């Protein structure tokens, strides 16, 4: 798999709570920082409420890249169902992330999805330096994302379920 292919990662988890409680956790942009080894936190810019077009700054850390901040733009927002944002230029994002809620009575399935590219991201520096290892670099990054995404969903579940 190559970066230009727009690799994706998707994980899901059932949470024993009604969708409104899960939605509040999913749209709390700072909450994942408690569970992810990479995401350090987020803050809405200009105190903006969550809606399509609003922006937030996200801080991240990776041992290979150090610490950095990105500007993210909400690109899909359907209250109680979908919250998605693009990293960097929303027209050519370095990544797109999306939470989708699927209510089923007293349980809510959360589907957490991300796509790399099509715009450049920090990963491109590694690919540029070692183009012959692109597939391994992309695969490893997908696994890092998968681990952090699962940790985030499990953390959200523990907060919402009170466990």
């Amino acid at each position: 798999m190559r970066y230009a292919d727009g690799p994706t990662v998707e994980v899901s988890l059932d949470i024993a709570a009604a969708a409104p409680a899960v939605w509040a956790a999913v749209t709390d942009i700072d909450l994942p920082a408690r569970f992810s080894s990479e995401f350090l936190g987020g803050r809405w810019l200009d105190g903006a409420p969550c809606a399509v077009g609003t922006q937030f700054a996200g801080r991240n850390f990776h041992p290979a890249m150090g610490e950095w901040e990105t500007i993210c733009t909400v690109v899909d927002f359907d209250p109680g169902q979908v919250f998605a944002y693009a990293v960097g230029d929303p027209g050519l994002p370095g990544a797109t992330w999306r939470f989708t809620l699927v209510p089923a009575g007293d349980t809510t399935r959360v589907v957490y999805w991300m796509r790399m590219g099509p715009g450049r991201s920090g990963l491109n520096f590694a690919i540029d330096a070692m183009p012959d290892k692109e597939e391994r670099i992309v695969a490893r990054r997908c696994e890092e994302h998968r681990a952090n995404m699962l940790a985030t969903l499990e953390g959200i579940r523990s907060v919402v379920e009170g466990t």
Side-chain angles (χ1 to χ4, degrees):
M1 180 178 322
R2 299 199 171 279
Y3 189 84
D5 297 333
T8 63
V9 176
E10 181 177 292
V11 298
S12 63
L13 189 68
D14 291 334
I15 299 177
V22 177
W23 181 252
V26 163
T27 56
D28 178 347
I29 60 166
D30 202 44
L31 184 63
R34 292 174 46 189
F35 316 112
S36 172
S37 68
E38 185 170 323
F39 182 66
L40 301 177
R43 62 182 168 74
W44 290 108
L45 300 179
D46 300 322
C50 189
V52 170
T54 58
Q55 295 183 316
F56 66 91
R59 289 180 303 110
N60 300 280
F61 173 82
H62 189 279
M65 292 284 298
E67 189 171 328
W68 71 94
E69 185 172 277
T70 59
I71 302 301
C72 302
T73 303
V74 177
V75 294
D76 193 358
F77 186 77
D78 186 357
Q81 295 180 25
V82 178
F83 170 53
Y85 57 91
V87 178
D89 178 354
L92 194 63
T96 303
W97 298 79
R98 180 179 66 228
F99 289 95
T100 303
L101 275 58
V102 182
D106 292 339
T107 301
T108 303
R109 171 161 287 197
V110 182
V111 180
Y112 193 10
W113 173 92
M114 71 83 55
R115 181 186 67 226
M116 294 181 201
R120 290 180 60 86
S121 72
L123 190 62
N124 293 106
F125 295 112
I127 294 168
D128 292 347
M130 300 173 281
D132 57 315
K133 296 181 179 166
E134 179 176 5
E135 290 184 19
R136 279 191 13 217
I137 292 167
V138 170
R140 180 172 182 194
R141 190 65 176 134
C142 284
E143 287 310 309
E144 290 174 338
H145 283 319
R146 182 178 313 284
N148 275 312
M149 292 163 73
L150 277 172
T152 296
L153 288 186
E154 289 167 357
I156 288 171
R157 178 172 61 186
S158 71
V159 166
V160 173
E161 292 180 358
T163 57

